[in-house]
Amino acid sequence: ENRPIPEPGPNEVLLRMHSVGICGSDVHYWQHGRIGDFVVKDPMVLGHEASGTVVKVGSGVTHLKPGDRVAVEPGVPREMDEFCKTGRYNLSPTIFFCATPPDDGNLCRYYKHSASYCYKLPDNVTFEEGALIEPLSVGIHACKRAGVTLGSKVFVSGSGPIGLVNVLVAKMMGAAAVVITDLSASRLQKAKEVGADFTIQVKNETPQEVASKVESLLGCMPEITVECTGVEACIQAGIYATRSGGTLVLVGLGPDMVTVPIVNAAVREVDIRGIFRYCNTWPVAIALLASKRINVKPLVTHRFPLEKALEAFETTKRGEGVKVMLKCDPTDHNP
């Protein structure tokens, strides 16, 4: 609250932040101080699902002006390396990324960011939808990597926010049927609301039993599985469930080492693909939201002012609702 308002560089903009979503990774850093090799060593501002209003532009910025409403892409390459040249800038090892140590995030009143990674929002796209482009981008990137297309049968494992955006995007990309699993009945109900065709509430089934249920509901094994939990048993179920010659995309991150039936995948030519964040997704997402082809509004279940950030984080930690949204602009009274 008491930090000085930053001054934007030549190619940056200063934003008055409006809506910032809380992600599981934000909670993880808050609780554990690290995710894998990313360790919090100094105080760090959280938040990377964000939108705001431009209040000042650097001397080199021409496509934005004060008053513009923008969505923020949190990952900004620091150098034009081989990954940037091939269009996969998310893989750049030196990338700046909001709220990944040591880079500060944007859960604050004022924040400066590279102007090239701030995207103007059309009038019919809300700030909240703008903030939700970040998780939506994970779904877009995952479904693209999975090869979802017209008529695909898709199995989504995990019905948290990322599972739900994968349901939205898979259906948008032409999936004929999507089945989703979770432990929570309320989350599966939300999945139904956003377009899942079938739900499976997992209790104590073995991975093979889960795979069998997926097949019986779809009437066949799915060509594509999108695994959004990182849980070992779920990855195992994903391999068993995926049709021979199909694709399993690993979105959720769990322990460094997991035991999986790799020979089963290998002899059936199941391709296992990872994803790391996303790239080139903001223009696509904005077009989908502006055309009303995708509705992300049902994902937001809780809203808090910035002053109640701790309460918001506690709510997310308890797993209540789906997406918790913080409002950083005290002068705005719109929902």
Side-chain angles (χ1 to χ4, degrees):
E1 280 296 288
N2 300 318
R3 296 188 319 156
I5 295 175
E7 193 63 31
N11 299 310
E12 294 178 325
V13 291
L14 176 66
L15 304 175
R16 184 175 179 85
M17 300 313 295
H18 188 287
S19 297
V20 181
I22 300 178
C23 171
S25 68
D26 292 319
V27 174
H28 202 86
Y29 281 126
W30 169 48
Q31 288 293 300
H32 304 285
R34 70 179 301 156
I35 294 176
D37 294 334
F38 298 107
V39 182
V40 179
K41 292 175 179 164
D42 298 298
M44 180 180 81
V45 179
L46 292 167
H48 58 266
E49 306 177 0
S51 63
T53 305
V54 176
V55 291
K56 205 176 210 180
V57 300
S59 56
V61 178
T62 55
H63 72 291
L64 293 171
K65 63 185 186 307
D68 283 347
R69 302 160 59 252
V70 297
V72 178
E73 179 173 1
V76 180
R78 285 187 169 95
E79 55 182 306
M80 179 54 74
D81 59 18
E82 58 178 310
F83 298 104
C84 294
K85 288 175 184 174
T86 56
R88 300 180 75 176
Y89 56 87
N90 55 313
L91 301 178
S92 175
T94 59
I95 196 167
F96 167 92
F97 198 89
C98 293
T100 295
D103 304 332
D104 278 331
N106 42 34
L107 183 50
C108 47
R109 300 270 187 231
Y110 291 94
Y111 172 74
K112 69 173 183 178
H113 198 68
S114 166
S116 297
Y117 292 80
C118 292
Y119 300 82
K120 191 172 174 180
L121 291 172
D123 292 342
N124 68 339
V125 177
T126 66
F127 281 115
E128 228 168 58
E129 289 175 295
L132 289 167
I133 290 174
E134 196 279 343
L136 181 60
S137 287
V138 177
I140 293 170
H141 191 57
C143 287
K144 277 186 173 178
R145 292 268 295 152
V148 178
T149 188
L150 287 171
S152 296
K153 303 282 196 341
V154 180
F155 167 30
V156 177
S157 174
S159 189
I162 296 302
L164 296 177
V165 293
N166 274 284
V167 172
L168 283 167
V169 175
K171 295 293 282 191
M172 177 67 233
M173 289 173 74
V178 176
V179 59
I180 188 165
T181 53
D182 202 90
L183 299 169
S184 159
S186 61
R187 289 203 157 184
L188 290 173
Q189 182 55 41
K190 182 64 79 170
K192 274 278 196 196
E193 283 175 41
V194 302
D197 298 281
F198 307 103
T199 61
I200 299 170
Q201 187 175 3
V202 179
K203 296 191 168 72
N204 47 17
E205 294 88 345
T206 65
Q208 289 97 327
E209 286 168 344
V210 171
S212 177
K213 284 190 172 187
V214 167
E215 181 179 3
S216 64
L217 279 174
L218 289 174
C220 61
M221 296 171 80
E223 302 102 326
I224 288 159
T225 298
V226 185
E227 207 301 298
C228 302
T229 71
V231 174
E232 182 174 274
C234 297
I235 299 170
Q236 293 168 353
I239 289 175
Y240 290 130
T242 307
R243 189 183 305 181
S244 297
T247 304
L248 166 64
V249 175
L250 302 176
V251 183
L253 299 177
D256 282 350
M257 289 289 187
V258 293
T259 303
V260 294
I262 201 72
V263 173
N264 179 293
V267 299
R268 297 194 302 109
E269 296 192 5
V270 172
D271 293 347
I272 300 175
R273 296 186 154 202
I275 71 156
F276 186 59
R277 297 170 181 160
Y278 32 66
C279 57
N280 305 304
T281 53
W282 258 252
V284 175
I286 289 170
L288 289 170
L289 292 170
S291 63
K292 304 301 177 191
R293 299 299 299 277
I294 272 190
N295 181 15
V296 291
K297 289 176 181 174
L299 298 181
V300 181
T301 53
H302 294 71
R303 296 173 178 87
F304 293 89
L306 184 58
E307 295 79 9
K308 294 189 177 174
L310 186 58
E311 198 179 321
F313 270 78
E314 294 282 5
T315 303
T316 309
K317 183 186 162 195
R318 288 193 299 268
E320 291 177 23
V322 180
K323 178 57 66 177
V324 175
M325 193 67 67
L326 279 153
K327 301 291 187 181
C328 301
D329 187 347
T331 63
D332 178 77
H333 302 295
N334 295 318

